Amino acid sequence: MSLKTLGAKIFAGIVHKQTQKWATNPVATQERVFKELIAKAKETQFGKDHNFGAIQTYADYAAKVPVRDYEALKHYVERVVHGEADILWPGKPLYFAKTSGTTSGAKYIPLTKESMPFHIQAARNAILSYVHETGNAGFVDGKMIFLQGSPELDEKHGVKFGRLSGIVAHYVPAYLQKNRMPSWETNIIDDWETKVDAIVGETINEDMTVISGIPSWVQMYFEKLHQKAGKPVGEIFRNFNLFIYGGVNYEPYRAKFEKLIGRKVDSIELFPASEGFFAYQDSQTEKGMLLLLNSGIFYEFIKADEFFTENPRRYTIGEVELGVNYVLILSTNAGLWAYNIGDTVAFTSLAPYRVVVTGRVKHYISAFGEHVIGKEVETALKQAMEGTDVSINEFTVAPQITPETGLPYHEWFIEFENEPQDMDAFALKIDAAMRKQNVYYDDLIVGNVLRTVVITKVKQNGFQEYMKSIGKLGGQNKLPRLSNDRKIADCFK
């Protein structure tokens, strides 16, 4: 056992004990975070505008601070971007994470000296949690790769800005610098396909033990490795045993990954965003990710099926229930207040609090009142594939409201790696799994409002070509699992 491996195991034990302290006192932990946030920000412009000085309880806060999305908070953010201090949080932020917006174009999410350390600690603690539970720490002696955006940053009014993954790249601890790949020169390549080719060239002869990134883009890396070496990734990297991912559900990709690798490897799921690092998988045996209640974020939750009603109830951590789909609302030490990030979650455990990401509040299908969410389509596809040799590269789902003939339907656009022998039977399996999960969808099928799902095959690399065509190939960009319109769907017809 190397000194680095031994050190990792000792450190993992220490971090586990620290985590247990707050994880076993969730309500008190969140109350402390809440009070610290309010006290710190009461002299900011936002704090003065919302009378933070008079806030004594959460009820006071909920009454004074409405839930906002980026559009509603934008006028405050723009003042910070233009160089003003003490607007949303004391002083100026360290960085702005630049992300793709909706109606506003680019979004600028502040990262402060108080919030930035939690992004780094959470990623570290996710790995240490794995080490503590499994005892596996040998990977620390090998090479690690993190497929991410460019670490090059711009600067405006004394604040640097860039992609979150590029910002985080500047915080890789010294003891990992020698293990980390790719090189700086490769990491700053803008064109994603050129960058992945360069990464393949740099890593193919290395002892890679940990690989991390969004599954769809790691899959692209694996495919290029396989093409160049002519053998499975697991043979190229014999000590590769840990895949770390976030951004999308791994399950739709798992069969393809195991085929590309040639064997199973352990995986750790993360739930990071520019707005904060919210959760990580702390167990290889329990479902869900540990919600980070001690990371400078105060959480509120609104039931997804009530979110678009007038004045929906806001719940705190002690009030949530298992299995309910909630919209995630944040107040953070980066100066976001009652902020709707757009993600939906459901709790799989209340002791400790663990969540799964169920989708996006704006990414759903309810053209007929069915309220279909991302988790449901992912689960349906996984169940349809079980016990078969079917594997897929990517998929998305959209409603077809005005078909040329027959009843409307949900159209599944699937890029198969290995397609089913009987496509109609496969579609029926998906449909049955959907009906089992979603009573509204089942009612529409039974009532002859909808017919069963229709599968449209997408050509090989079709989704990659689509993402490239809209300037979102690689990095942190993700294909929406479902849409309530046909903006994406019509690109494949």
Side-chain angles (χ1 to χ4, degrees), residues 97-150:
K98 185 179 179 181
T99 70
S100 299
T102 50
T103 57
S104 64
K107 296 195 299 183
Y108 294 91
I109 305 299
L111 297 165
T112 64
K113 69 178 188 297
E114 289 85 1
S115 71
M116 195 67 222
F118 288 109
H119 284 271
I120 311 308
Q121 290 173 19
R124 179 202 70 190
N125 290 354
I127 297 174
L128 291 173
S129 180
Y130 169 82
V131 170
H132 177 78
E133 181 187 35
T134 67
N136 300 332
F139 61 83
V140 300
D141 293 315
K143 297 288 187 179
M144 307 177 186
I145 188 170
F146 302 90
L147 291 180
Q148 57 194 191
S150 172

Side-chain angles (χ1 to χ4, degrees), residues 1 19 27 112 131 133 135 229 241 316 458 475:
M1 183 186 298
T19 301
V27 174
T112 64
V131 170
E133 181 187 35
N241 284 300
T316 56
V458 175

Side-chain angles (χ1 to χ4, degrees), residues 62-121:
K64 294 178 183 297
V65 183
V67 172
R68 290 177 168 92
D69 59 11
Y70 186 82
E71 301 302 318
L73 199 66
K74 186 178 177 182
H75 64 288
Y76 284 105
V77 176
E78 285 183 334
R79 292 179 64 181
V80 185
V81 171
H82 289 137
E84 292 189 56
D86 304 322
I87 301 299
L88 288 165
W89 191 255
K92 293 183 179 181
L94 292 178
Y95 305 97
F96 284 107
K98 185 179 179 181
T99 70
S100 299
T102 50
T103 57
S104 64
K107 296 195 299 183
Y108 294 91
I109 305 299
L111 297 165
T112 64
K113 69 178 188 297
E114 289 85 1
S115 71
M116 195 67 222
F118 288 109
H119 284 271
I120 311 308
Q121 290 173 19

Side-chain angles (χ1 to χ4, degrees), residues 67 111 137 144 165 170 230 241 249 261 313 323 358-359 417 450 477:
V67 172
L111 297 165
M144 307 177 186
S165 61
H170 291 265
N241 284 300
N249 187 357
I261 298 167
R313 182 180 169 186
T358 54
E417 173 68 18
L450 293 178
N477 298 308

Side-chain angles (χ1 to χ4, degrees), residues 414-461:
I414 304 177
E415 182 184 323
F416 289 98
E417 173 68 18
N418 190 32
E419 65 182 67
Q421 293 180 348
D422 187 334
M423 194 67 74
D424 291 337
F426 188 71
L428 287 174
K429 288 173 71 175
I430 291 176
D431 202 74
M434 284 299 305
R435 294 175 64 180
K436 200 171 183 180
Q437 293 180 90
N438 188 310
V439 65
Y440 305 110
Y441 180 77
D442 182 58
D443 287 343
L444 292 168
I445 297 293
V446 172
N448 288 321
V449 176
L450 293 178
R451 62 178 162 122
T452 54
V453 303
V454 172
I455 294 175
T456 296
K457 291 192 295 183
V458 175
K459 69 178 182 179
Q460 288 294 303
N461 300 317

